[in-house]
Amino acid sequence: MKQKDKVLYLFLFVIIAAASLASGLLGNGGGSTLEISSDGHVIKSLALSEMPSGTVIVLREGGGMNELLVSGGSVRMISADCPGGDCLKMQPLSSGRGVIVCLPHKLVIKLKGDQAQKPDGVDAVTY
Amino acid sequence: MRSRTEKTAILALFSALALATGAIESLFPIPFPGVRLGLTNVFHFLALLIYGSAEAVMVASVRLFLAFLLTGNPFAFACSAGGLLCSLPLSIFLYKKYGDDLSVPAISVASAAAFNAGQVSVVVILTSEPSILAYLPVIMAIGSVTGYLVGYIAGNLRCRIESCRLRRSP
Amino acid sequence: MIDKKRTRMTFCVFFFSALIITGLAMLYKDAKGASMNTRSRESLAMDTIMRISIHSAKAPEELDMILDGAFGIIADLDGHLSMHMTSSDISLVNANAGQSPVLVSKETASAVRTSLAIAQRTGGAFDPTIGPVSDIWKTRSVENPRGEVPDDAEIREALSLVGASMAHVSADNRIYLEKQGMKLDLGGIAKGYASGAVRDFLISAGVESALIDLGGNVVVIGTAPGRAKGDPWRIGIQHPYRPRGEIICSIAANGTSVITAGVYERYVEIGGKKYTHIFDPRTGHPVDGDLISVTIVAEDPAAGDALSTAFMAIGVEKSKKLLDSFPGVEAIFITKGQGAEPDVTATEGIKGLIKNEAKG
């Protein structure tokens, strides 16, 4: 039965392909800068290389507390006082990819390749 | 021909099984908030196949609310609700309208994609972080596999349940 | 049964193609910089802050080693070109002025050759033998607690020892200054030369993207991290009246060097008048005019550094004419304006690349 299966699969395939191309173009790639945003605003931008293994980052955002552990170039959530604690179950950020989201505290933690840019948008100043 | 009692019992069983599967699934690590294997969806999908849209909605919402009551996690609830809001109408529509042209796993794959889309939308809205959308394709690709699995299991279960029922009531 | 099989087949085909596409998208991201590493380091050398930031797909450890190499090059060049270190090539050449040629490293020879060539091409507006003039100003005004301006006789005497034609670099890297008391001062080219050497080293080490900022001498390689391939870097030009780091405009730079000479950078105040550290080798006096700074955009940072200094002495109009003999070199002149803000003039070739600050 079901000759229209192919149509549906093809349709979905096109959607996923288009979406992945679009997201590839967005260039939301990872990297070595840990970017923490709360409610859509970047609150911290830290160079992973400057944090020794074992660094714990304590975040008090969105009325709660989260603790991130940096170890061997990867980052994971080690404690959170939210119901459910979904973020604790999320895969650690490493090799510059992935995202940790703590919905209750509106936290999004990801790795960005971009180093923190100067506020005026230039890479360097000649004088 | 089918007794109301039997239907009530089976739907209650489905909801309970969905809850249990959800509890087991929550033990596994997740790549993304609310993203799970999706095996809980087998049961409301099964309700759709055996009974109909109303029963599917019923099983889904009972599971949704009971899970919320049990875990007390409004965010997981919001994610699931957002996903269901997209996937349920789609699976009902596809099953009713194109049920003859589409196989059960295909319908399930489509609803899984819709579920993921709804879920990620909720996360984006809650965190005000549109860049999360970039993860949607990956999640959808994974969702297609689990969606197929769900559809396959649900289809098989339907055959078993119905043949068993036929044998019992001559 | 057959149908079921076909359904499964279709699904498999669909799924694997989706997987491949997603994988390709991931690879595409990688190629664009998803797995790129960035390493930055700052260090003090040549009396200024040296900052190098490299961005590459290489492992962080390897990038650290590349940075070690880059800063090693700077330290070596500092050791060769410094006027202050008594053991440097330049100090040895100066000590033997009027006596004998001195065998120097090939880097020193090359830096001096470049300087002498530019001295010749700018009619002496840049001169590496400016040493005696900068010395007299230094001892009389900067180091003298009373802060005086040297008198004309002193300046004339110093000027008699300045002249690129009296300095010689042989093919076997021996430098000879004709007159005793002559003094090479590569302050106007050392940082530019060093940034060029660092750039060549980074490129040969396979670094795809880098920002080299040696005390305001900025050289870029490749594309800025986080930007689409081929997008230029943006380099700000210091606002002459505002604190360090505040810019008057910015310029898009792609694989070039952006180097500025400005009167505000170092100066001494005597009797209410500001005397800058940039001297006109033709008059023996600090440059003094409407020109506040010159930014040179050029392929070769050593030439850019020397030209920016030369143009400060030459002035806007003559510099523009002189640029005709330097193809590919562009300049931005900042002059005292009518109002409170300075005027910015750029040569035709880069007008389109400049972005003025809205707040400016």
Side-chain angles (χ1 to χ4, degrees), chain C residues 74-94:
Chain C
I74 294 174
D76 283 352
L77 280 176
D78 200 6
H80 291 323
L81 306 179
S82 166
M83 270 178 92
H84 314 303
M85 292 184 212
T86 46
S87 61
S88 74
D89 282 349
I90 294 300
S91 296
L92 290 176
V93 168
N94 291 345

Side-chain angles (χ1 to χ4, degrees), chain B residues 2-163:
Chain B
R2 290 170 187 173
S3 84
R4 265 186 79 81
T5 328
E6 188 202 76
K7 184 173 147 183
T8 314
I10 287 185
L11 287 180
L13 185 67
F14 283 178
S15 310
L17 281 171
L19 258 182
T21 335
I24 293 167
E25 270 185 18
S26 71
L27 296 175
F28 294 105
I30 47 178
F32 195 78
V35 173
R36 299 236 159 85
L37 217 47
L39 286 181
T40 50
N41 297 332
V42 165
F43 298 99
H44 71 248
F45 202 65
L46 199 51
L48 174 68
L49 298 181
I50 297 176
Y51 296 103
S53 42
E55 287 76 5
V57 175
M58 208 192 84
V59 171
S61 16
V62 165
R63 186 209 81 87
L64 185 64
F65 285 103
L66 282 183
F68 176 40
L69 284 180
L70 284 176
T71 62
N73 185 348
F75 298 95
F77 171 78
C79 281
S80 300
L84 281 174
L85 224 53
C86 293
S87 76
L88 260 181
L90 184 72
S91 41
I92 291 169
F93 169 77
L94 287 179
Y95 185 63
K96 295 277 171 195
K97 194 102 183 176
Y98 296 101
D100 294 334
D101 300 324
L102 290 171
S103 68
V104 171
I107 296 173
S108 177
V109 166
S111 358
F115 191 94
N116 290 329
Q119 202 173 39
V120 171
S121 308
V122 168
V123 174
V124 168
I125 293 166
L126 284 179
T127 58
S128 333
E129 186 83 21
S131 63
I132 287 177
L133 280 176
Y135 296 93
L136 187 56
V138 187
I139 296 168
M140 270 172 122
I142 301 169
S144 307
V145 187
T146 60
Y148 187 85
L149 202 64
V150 165
Y152 184 77
I153 295 173
N156 260 358
L157 281 176
R158 173 177 63 174
C159 294
R160 276 155 210 263
I161 289 172
E162 296 203 320
S163 67

Side-chain angles (χ1 to χ4, degrees), chain A residues 1 5 30 97 117 123-124 126, chain C residues 3 7 30 216 227 234 236 260:
Chain A
M1 57 177 184
D5 279 12
R97 205 176 277 127
Q117 250 198 15
D123 302 301
T126 174
Chain C
D3 283 340
T7 314
D30 274 356
R227 253 170 265 172
R234 284 221 79 85
T260 301

Side-chain angles (χ1 to χ4, degrees), chain C residues 115-323:
Chain C
S115 318
L116 293 175
I118 295 202
Q120 203 210 340
R121 292 175 73 184
T122 58
F126 167 82
D127 200 317
T129 63
I130 191 74
V133 168
S134 39
D135 266 9
I136 190 93
W137 281 88
K138 200 167 147 195
T139 47
R140 291 302 302 278
S141 56
V142 183
E143 285 165 2
N144 182 350
R146 275 176 295 144
E148 295 166 333
V149 176
D151 57 45
D152 286 350
E154 283 174 301
I155 290 175
R156 235 176 293 131
E157 197 194 321
L159 267 184
S160 70
L161 296 169
V162 174
S165 58
M166 297 186 288
H168 309 278
V169 188
S170 69
D172 59 349
N173 299 340
R174 283 170 206 276
I175 301 182
Y176 179 58
L177 305 177
E178 284 178 11
K179 290 186 192 169
Q180 191 160 11
M182 277 182 74
K183 235 176 165 182
L184 284 176
D185 177 355
L186 296 190
I189 199 170
K191 285 186 282 175
Y193 187 83
S195 49
V198 168
R199 172 179 64 186
D200 295 346
F201 168 72
L202 292 181
I203 290 175
S204 69
V207 172
E208 298 93 332
S209 158
L211 178 78
I212 306 156
D213 178 356
L214 307 190
N217 290 242
V218 181
V219 182
V220 295
I221 300 172
T223 301
R227 253 170 265 172
K229 212 172 178 68
D231 267 12
W233 298 75
R234 284 221 79 85
I235 311 300
I237 294 173
Q238 174 68 36
H239 192 298
Y241 304 155
R242 300 213 184 134
R244 167 79 57 87
E246 287 194 31
I247 62 175
I248 186 162
C249 62
S250 66
I251 175 159
N254 225 336
T256 51
S257 66
V258 182
I259 290 168
T260 301
V263 294
Y264 49 80
E265 177 55 11
R266 273 181 212 172
Y267 60 84
V268 58
E269 214 167 323
I270 302 163
K273 193 168 166 17
K274 284 176 182 169
Y275 294 89
T276 177
H277 72 305
I278 303 172
F279 300 98
D280 186 340
R282 301 165 304 182
T283 64
H285 284 270
V287 296
D288 184 21
D290 288 341
L291 200 46
I292 310 171
S293 78
V294 178
T295 300
I296 301 286
V297 180
E299 180 77 31
D300 175 14
D305 199 3
L307 280 179
S308 65
T309 311
F311 287 0
M312 283 303 296
I314 295 175
V316 179
E317 292 313 316
K318 282 185 186 163
S319 296
K320 279 185 179 168
K321 268 185 214 126
L322 193 58
L323 271 178

